[in-house]
Amino acid sequence: MKENAMVSSRNSLLFQNMRFAAIVGLVMILIAFTVSQSGMNEILIVANLFSGIGNDVFLVLSNAILFWVAYKKKCKSLFYLVIKVDAAVWLIVHLLKYIDLGEWSLRPNGIPSGFPSGHTTHAFAMAFLLSVFYPRLSWLWYGCAVVISWSRIETSSHTGLQVTAGVIFGIGLAWFAVNHWLKQHDSFILPERTMS
């Protein structure tokens, strides 16, 4: 009976995280298809910052936080989960970039290999993972993912469709990985989602 309660609790947590991710993802998709480049130099400078070093800092810190949780909880499977998500994002994004998908593949400047946005995919995947362990900070994790994704459009690195694909792939990959991880023998009870 206790095991059934744990499974139910884990499924509920995963559903709550997926629901929150889907809402933020839909907001980002709406932004991707409705917001165009501002044309303002100051905003472009900020977008370049988030598209470059901001993205790198977010990914390094998110991995470091998750590795710290794995170390603190003595949970090897969490360490491997993070590595698998990082590797899966890299592999899937790079494989898709080498497939000629016609206009879908073209970046706004006409250069191929733009589908999907790797920055967006990785940012949303990490935001999902971080939200599983620190649900009270979901607004921060997904806020970073949204800003990074927006920056890819503002800097003319990707189209709205390419960013949308990144949102879907990032959330989907992370959900699949976490769902599988929760079935591992050494995964621990996760915090309840509260937005306060």
Side-chain angles (χ1 to χ4, degrees):
M1 191 70 164
K2 185 178 179 183
E3 189 172 320
N4 287 342
M6 274 180 45
V7 169
S8 177
S9 173
R10 289 177 177 178
N11 288 340
S12 173
L13 174 71
L14 190 58
F15 174 76
Q16 290 170 13
N17 279 313
M18 188 60 179
R19 185 177 61 196
F20 189 77
I23 291 168
V24 176
L26 287 172
V27 168
M28 184 59 236
I29 290 168
L30 182 64
I31 291 169
F33 283 113
T34 58
V35 174
S36 58
Q37 290 178 293
S38 67
M40 297 176 61
N41 238 8
E42 297 82 7
I43 293 177
L44 182 59
I45 290 168
V46 171
N48 276 315
L49 181 69
F50 282 108
S51 188
I53 195 163
N55 177 66
D56 295 342
V57 168
F58 178 67
L59 294 180
V60 167
L61 284 177
S62 61
N63 277 272
I65 290 167
L66 292 164
F67 289 154
W68 173 251
V69 173
Y71 172 76
K72 195 169 104 179
K73 299 285 189 180
K74 294 177 176 48
C75 183
K76 286 183 185 178
S77 68
L78 174 56
F79 175 78
Y80 294 123
L81 167 72
V82 177
I83 297 292
K84 287 176 186 176
V85 168
D86 285 335
V89 166
W90 186 87
L91 185 65
I92 289 171
V93 165
H94 282 84
L95 284 176
L96 286 171
K97 285 181 183 279
Y98 287 108
I99 298 172
D100 183 10
L101 299 171
E103 288 192 28
W104 284 18
S105 298
L106 298 178
R107 294 175 186 263
N109 59 8
I111 295 174
S113 75
F115 183 89
S117 167
H119 284 65
T120 301
T121 304
H122 215 161
F124 269 88
M126 290 294 108
F128 189 95
L129 289 179
L130 287 164
S131 292
V132 168
F133 300 98
Y134 297 101
R136 290 185 180 176
L137 295 175
S138 292
W139 61 272
L140 176 62
W141 315 133
Y142 282 108
C144 291
V146 166
V147 171
I148 289 166
S149 301
W150 159 81
S151 75
R152 302 305 287 164
I153 295 170
E154 182 65 31
T155 60
S156 290
S157 300
H158 289 288
T159 64
L161 176 66
Q162 294 163 351
V163 166
T164 296
V167 169
I168 294 167
F169 287 142
I171 292 171
L173 279 169
W175 174 85
F176 179 80
V178 170
N179 188 40
H180 178 71
W181 174 79
L182 285 172
K183 296 173 185 169
Q184 298 296 313
H185 70 289
D186 67 344
S187 61
F188 50 89
I189 299 295
L190 302 173
E192 289 296 321
R193 169 171 289 286
T194 58
M195 295 310 293
S196 52

